[in-house]
Amino acid sequence: QVQLVESGGGVVQPGRSLRLSCAASGFTFSDYPIHWVRQPQGKGLEWVAVISHDGTIKNYGDSVKGRISISRDNSRNTVSLQMISLRPEDTGVYYCAKDGLDYSGLDVWGQGTTVTVSS
Amino acid sequence: IVVTQSPGTLSLSPGERATLSCRANQSIGSKYLVWYQHKPGQAPRVLIYHASTRATGIPDRFSGSGSGTDFSLTISRLEPEDSAVYYCQQFAGSPWTFGQGTKVEIK
């Protein structure tokens, strides 16, 4: 079935780096943009980043621009999110999500991976 | 584009009608607005896209309307399983912002 599985979360000190991964299966991965969305504990969803189907176009949310880089490997059906200079406010659950195309929303989501930035 | 949802919380009884609002600070047309339902411990799911088109498998008690800057999600007859947080998201321009969510509580 169509599935996204995130990994790479954990506890990290402020200022350090972390790399999250999203593994896809059950669909033609190279046809779809992939997004990252995060949810701080007790707060709402925040859109983080998107990468186009072929990896040539990337966009980032204002709060993470300059500290986050998104990439993909269509041969391995994976998307990565490299985060540097982490701050406590980056703490939360990070979801990857598949774009449904034609502005139909994010139609498949992973279960999320938790990032905790704390000393 | 800033997206603002209201109210923050809605507490209603089963069978009642819920109306959730989503307002953008600039016009986003009618194609670029999506509504999600998010329950604890689950991934969000698309309810409505293009402001008014129900996603596959979504009950017809959910409906969306609006264009420009003002949008709404209506749940015509609340059921206990509709207890969740509902988000709107705009796709008119990057960053693809979410509203802050409306929590629907079933009494």
Side-chain angles (χ1 to χ4, degrees), chain B residues 60-102:
Chain B
D60 61 6
R61 65 179 184 275
F62 292 92
S63 63
S65 64
S67 65
T69 60
D70 292 320
F71 302 86
S72 63
L73 173 71
T74 300
I75 311 172
S76 59
R77 298 170 306 279
L78 279 165
E79 299 197 2
E81 62 264 30
D82 298 334
S83 178
V85 180
Y86 294 81
Y87 296 94
C88 58
Q89 183 187 20
Q90 65 81 20
F91 284 85
S94 180
W96 284 274
T97 41
F98 286 91
Q100 74 275 34
T102 292

Side-chain angles (χ1 to χ4, degrees), chain A residues 44-109:
Chain A
L45 301 175
E46 179 187 5
W47 182 83
V48 173
V50 64
I51 187 166
S52 61
H53 68 99
D54 60 1
T56 58
I57 300 172
K58 306 170 186 180
N59 281 287
Y60 301 98
D62 292 340
S63 64
V64 301
K65 204 171 289 186
R67 299 188 300 116
I68 278 182
S69 177
I70 189 170
S71 61
R72 68 189 294 160
D73 184 343
N74 284 347
S75 68
R76 296 175 182 267
N77 287 5
T78 58
V79 171
S80 295
L81 192 70
Q82 178 69 47
M83 304 187 292
I84 66 171
S85 303
L86 283 162
R87 305 167 180 169
E89 54 265 35
D90 295 318
T91 294
V93 178
Y94 284 71
Y95 298 94
C96 62
K98 169 184 163 288
D99 194 304
L101 301 181
D102 192 28
Y103 311 104
S104 62
L106 308 183
D107 64 349
V108 179
W109 296 62

